[in-house]
Amino acid sequence: MADAAVELVLRSTRVITPEGTRAASVAVAGGKITAVLAHGAEVPAGARLEDFGDDVLLPGLVDTHVHVNDPGRTEWEGFWTATRAAAAGGITTLLDMPLNSLPPTTTTDNLRVKQEVARAKAHVDVGFWGGALPDNVKDLRPLHDAGVFGFKCFLSPSGVEEFPELDQEQLAASLAEVAGFGGLMIVHAEDPHHLDAAPVVPGPKYADFLASRPRDAENTAIGNLIAQARRLDARVHVLHLSSSDALPLIAAAKAEGVRITVESCPHYLTLTAEEVPDGASEFKCCPPIREAANQDLLWDALADGTIDCIVSDHSPSTADLKTRDFSTAWGGISSLQLGLPAIWTEARRRGRTLEDVVRWMSAAPAELAGLSRKGAIEAGRDADFAVLAPEETFTVDPAHLHHRNQVTAYAGKTLHGVVKSTWLRGTQIADHGTPTGPTGLLLERQN
Ligand SMILES: [Zn+2]
């Protein structure tokens, strides 16, 4: 087979590859990386050169946890706005959660509805998770065959009535079905009995909200999930881990060979309970942001591999649902465009490298979802990139964010790492925070 002619060469003194950071020129043809060459390599005739100088060229981020809410709750978010925010923030692939849209992604018909809505609006590549409900076990295999990346379930109330949680018996039935066809179950792990037993004190105090979502709820749910995964030899993934108390359980399960992976999110890793102002429900999410000492242990767990990846859990709503009462305000943090600088700011403070950040935010989530064409700068992968000035800083102005409702817990923060441009399959999709496009494709599970 003749090689396609190189169309584009991306050059930087700092290219993050799976083998480390080096000066290189990355050759692109037909939307794919064809070679990673020496920095000074001759540019082939007919190819365009983009030289980024000392700005870092890294693989486009893969965000496997985004609530786009489209169709149905498009006043909260939508594919147009969410994927523009993603592109501006250096994300080139996102996977949409099955709930908060109407319909939820719980049947193949519903999946088709969502795909049709997303198709013309996608500024980045978009794939879909399915949903596991008490009454849709029969729909799981057809959804798997239709290309969803796995199935999300809740073990406690989800916050929307059309997406009920599974009890332990229902989890066992769904997990057995999913394991039977080699699928992946991704789990919101908070135990409902511990939540029921916790005090609910209405009002603006963050400490009251934190007490209503105790660590034991996470620890118990994760313990039960590990037991079920072990018994069924099922592949499971813990969504948005916050409780560091669960880390020893998870580490032991991994060591024993239980097929479990874990994600955490920028808000658990960069914000702390101690700093949340009273009434500031833009900081509310479930499980909650916990104390600084808890956060230190989450970072240790990223370093030792107990936590695999970092994804946004971007879960917006309209501003009016973010009331000053933590007990009733909508739970969800909007951070799609800010995950990379938020995490890089904290990572560099803690002595971690950009290679670490790329592993947590691009390579590992791509691997979780089986996206073998994403997540690395190497020949054969899609030509998806972010160009980052890691030493530059900016102050978060919500007016510059592209997601629909400009509410964010990061407002006013000064962050390190400016995304200069984003590239999807060799086409520039954002320039200094301004998205172009839409040129995203809809993705289906590859294996
Ligand atoms: Zn979520």
Side-chain angles (χ1 to χ4, degrees), residues 65 67 97 99 152 154 188 239-240 313-315:
H65 194 152
H67 296 266
M97 278 293 162
L99 75 157
K152 178 175 193 181
F154 280 74
H188 180 123
L239 297 162
H240 46 50
D313 193 11
H314 176 76
S315 185

Side-chain angles (χ1 to χ4, degrees), residues 70-71 79 96 98 101-118 128-131 133 136 139 143 146 148 162-163:
D70 192 1
F79 282 104
D96 175 54
S101 59
L102 295 168
T105 318
T106 49
T107 67
T108 52
D109 284 351
N110 292 359
L111 174 66
R112 297 299 173 219
V113 169
K114 295 206 53 156
Q115 287 171 325
E116 283 317 304
V117 166
F128 297 88
W129 296 107
L133 304 183
N136 81 333
D139 295 299
L143 277 165
V148 300
E162 69 276 5
F163 204 97

Side-chain angles (χ1 to χ4, degrees), residues 164-228:
E165 72 274 23
L166 306 182
D167 64 23
Q168 287 297 312
E169 212 169 299
Q170 291 160 340
L171 174 64
S174 294
L175 201 51
E177 174 73 5
V178 170
F181 53 74
L184 169 65
M185 184 72 89
I186 63 174
V187 182
H188 180 123
E190 285 184 291
D191 179 74
H193 308 295
H194 285 77
L195 296 180
D196 284 345
V200 175
V201 179
K205 283 212 165 51
Y206 188 74
D208 289 338
F209 169 63
L210 187 54
S212 76
R213 311 293 300 203
R215 297 182 190 210
D216 273 353
E218 283 190 75
N219 308 338
T220 299
I222 290 168
N224 289 339
L225 181 65
I226 288 169
Q228 297 243 32

Side-chain angles (χ1 to χ4, degrees), residues 115-433:
Q115 287 171 325
E116 283 317 304
V117 166
R119 196 177 303 280
K121 300 179 183 172
H123 290 66
V124 302
D125 284 357
V126 171
F128 297 88
W129 296 107
L133 304 183
D135 64 356
N136 81 333
V137 174
K138 68 179 188 323
D139 295 299
L140 301 180
R141 184 183 282 268
L143 277 165
H144 178 77
D145 293 341
V148 300
F149 285 81
F151 299 91
K152 178 175 193 181
C153 70
F154 280 74
L155 305 179
S156 54
S158 72
V160 292
E161 64 180 14
E162 69 276 5
F163 204 97
E165 72 274 23
L166 306 182
D167 64 23
Q168 287 297 312
E169 212 169 299
Q170 291 160 340
L171 174 64
S174 294
L175 201 51
E177 174 73 5
V178 170
F181 53 74
L184 169 65
M185 184 72 89
I186 63 174
V187 182
H188 180 123
E190 285 184 291
D191 179 74
H193 308 295
H194 285 77
L195 296 180
D196 284 345
V200 175
V201 179
K205 283 212 165 51
Y206 188 74
D208 289 338
F209 169 63
L210 187 54
S212 76
R213 311 293 300 203
R215 297 182 190 210
D216 273 353
E218 283 190 75
N219 308 338
T220 299
I222 290 168
N224 289 339
L225 181 65
I226 288 169
Q228 297 243 32
R230 179 192 292 121
R231 184 172 64 79
L232 294 164
D233 192 23
R235 192 172 157 234
V236 300
H237 177 72
V238 176
L239 297 162
H240 46 50
L241 179 73
S242 177
S243 169
S244 62
D245 294 353
L247 292 167
L249 283 177
I250 294 164
K254 285 186 165 188
E256 182 198 327
V258 175
R259 295 194 293 159
I260 185 167
T261 50
V262 180
E263 69 185 34
S264 192
C265 308
H267 36 278
Y268 304 123
L269 295 162
T270 72
L271 306 172
T272 61
E274 290 88 338
E275 71 182 296
V276 179
D278 282 353
S281 70
E282 64 269 29
F283 290 82
K284 176 181 174 178
C285 59
C286 296
I289 295 165
R290 301 190 190 279
E291 303 82 352
N294 181 78
Q295 182 179 95
D296 290 343
L297 295 172
L298 296 179
W299 278 94
D300 291 347
L302 279 164
D304 72 20
T306 306
I307 298 175
D308 300 271
C309 50
I310 304 172
V311 293
S312 70
D313 193 11
H314 176 76
S315 185
S317 71
T318 48
D320 61 302
L321 297 180
K322 287 298 204 179
T323 62
R324 282 181 56 79
D325 182 343
F326 273 105
S327 71
T328 54
W330 172 254
I333 290 183
S334 297
S335 65
L336 194 52
Q337 195 173 328
L338 300 170
L340 175 57
I343 286 295
W344 169 233
T345 300
E346 189 65 21
R348 65 189 289 285
R349 195 179 73 77
R350 292 174 180 268
R352 308 305 308 191
T353 65
L354 259 180
E355 284 102 329
D356 293 327
V357 173
V358 165
R359 188 172 76 249
W360 298 325
M361 302 188 81
S362 183
E367 190 182 339
L368 168 72
L371 288 161
S372 57
R373 292 198 292 267
K374 307 293 190 184
I377 296 179
E378 63 183 4
R381 305 259 186 167
D382 285 354
D384 297 353
F385 310 99
V387 177
L388 184 77
E391 291 85 13
E392 287 184 26
T393 61
F394 69 104
T395 300
V396 177
D397 177 353
H400 292 156
L401 301 177
H402 293 279
H403 68 266
R404 176 145 300 163
N405 293 282
Q406 293 166 321
V407 174
T408 179
Y410 297 90
K413 287 211 177 276
T414 295
L415 301 179
H416 275 266
V418 172
V419 177
K420 295 292 187 73
S421 63
T422 309
W423 300 71
L424 177 65
R425 281 177 276 98
T427 299
Q428 187 171 353
I429 58 167
D431 181 9
H432 291 82

